[in-house]
Amino acid sequence: NAAETKPNFSKGVIELGDLTDKNVGQLKLINQASFPVNYNSSFYDDLQRNLSLAKLAYFNDVMVGAVCTRLETVERTPKLYIMTLGVLSAYRRLGIGSLLIKHVLEEICKEQSQVASVYLHVQTSNEAAIEFYKKFGFEIKGVIEHYYKHIEPPNCYIVERKNDFYTGK
């Protein structure tokens, strides 16, 4: 019976935690389960060089989601790029993704006040993700055709919003 295997979400405690060298393997599993693309070891090596740019989500002490970002300069403007934000499918629609994006917009952006905006790529067919990011003030800024190599459709939107803590320095 499927109802017996579904976690009891009414008694759930959701917490955020830090990425460490001890739990990066769990992050790899979350990403493998959440995204149609695989991330190579350099992705995880880069994260471990700047641990404050990633955050993990736990439901009753079990890792169920994560957000991974990096600092970039685009056309001489510092930006924060959301590389991944994913929650295991059984734990979606519980506010975990919202908690992760709020952490990015309120905590990481505050720490990185030199960053003018936050952006990411979203597959054009992923309507749930597009609506999710719009709820947090992101806007579609453009389309990149053939961005994805091994998934259909291969096109993505560039979705972006300003950093509320931007100081221009």
Side-chain angles (χ1 to χ4, degrees), residues 70-81 115-121 158 160:
R70 72 174 176 232
L71 297 171
E72 294 187 347
T73 301
V74 180
E75 297 171 2
R76 295 197 303 224
T77 302
K79 295 185 178 192
L80 185 70
Y81 177 62
V115 167
S117 64
V118 181
Y119 82 104
L120 65 146
H121 298 105
I158 302 165
E160 188 169 7

Side-chain angles (χ1 to χ4, degrees), residues 52-167:
S52 67
L53 295 178
K55 207 65 171 175
L56 310 174
Y58 294 87
F59 186 88
N60 290 345
D61 298 324
V62 175
M63 189 189 301
V64 297
V67 62
C68 303
T69 67
R70 72 174 176 232
L71 297 171
E72 294 187 347
T73 301
V74 180
E75 297 171 2
R76 295 197 303 224
T77 302
K79 295 185 178 192
L80 185 70
Y81 177 62
I82 298 175
M83 298 183 289
T84 62
L85 190 158
V87 176
L88 294 176
S89 58
Y91 297 88
R92 291 182 187 152
R93 307 207 62 76
L94 298 174
I96 297 168
S98 295
L99 206 58
L100 289 167
I101 194 69
K102 286 176 185 173
H103 176 78
V104 170
L105 298 176
E106 296 169 9
E107 301 301 325
I108 296 177
C109 283
K110 187 186 244 181
E111 291 169 17
Q112 305 292 336
S113 60
Q114 80 282 8
V115 167
S117 64
V118 181
Y119 82 104
L120 65 146
H121 298 105
V122 178
Q123 191 175 16
T124 53
S125 62
N126 192 343
E127 293 176 19
I130 294 161
E131 289 309 309
F132 172 80
Y133 289 108
K134 283 183 174 178
K135 270 192 341 195
F136 292 95
F138 286 81
E139 298 174 6
I140 294 173
K141 299 291 187 177
V143 178
I144 301 175
E145 293 189 9
H146 309 292
Y147 179 77
Y148 299 106
K149 304 290 182 251
H150 303 291
I151 57 175
E152 286 295 324
N155 307 330
C156 76
Y157 290 121
I158 302 165
V159 183
E160 188 169 7
R161 70 159 277 166
K162 70 178 179 57
N163 177 1
D164 292 337
F165 298 97
Y166 178 56
T167 59

Side-chain angles (χ1 to χ4, degrees), residues 9-72:
F9 295 123
S10 65
K11 294 186 168 84
V13 176
I14 300 168
E15 298 174 297
L16 296 184
D18 296 329
L19 180 65
T20 68
D21 59 343
K22 302 212 178 354
N23 59 21
V24 72
Q26 287 179 285
L27 173 62
K28 288 179 185 179
L29 294 173
I30 297 285
N31 285 347
Q32 287 170 353
S34 301
F35 302 107
V37 294
N38 286 320
Y39 295 92
N40 59 29
S41 59
S42 68
F43 173 91
Y44 298 99
D45 293 343
D46 289 347
L47 283 174
Q48 289 182 284
R49 282 193 272 283
N50 201 340
L51 295 172
S52 67
L53 295 178
K55 207 65 171 175
L56 310 174
Y58 294 87
F59 186 88
N60 290 345
D61 298 324
V62 175
M63 189 189 301
V64 297
V67 62
C68 303
T69 67
R70 72 174 176 232
L71 297 171
E72 294 187 347

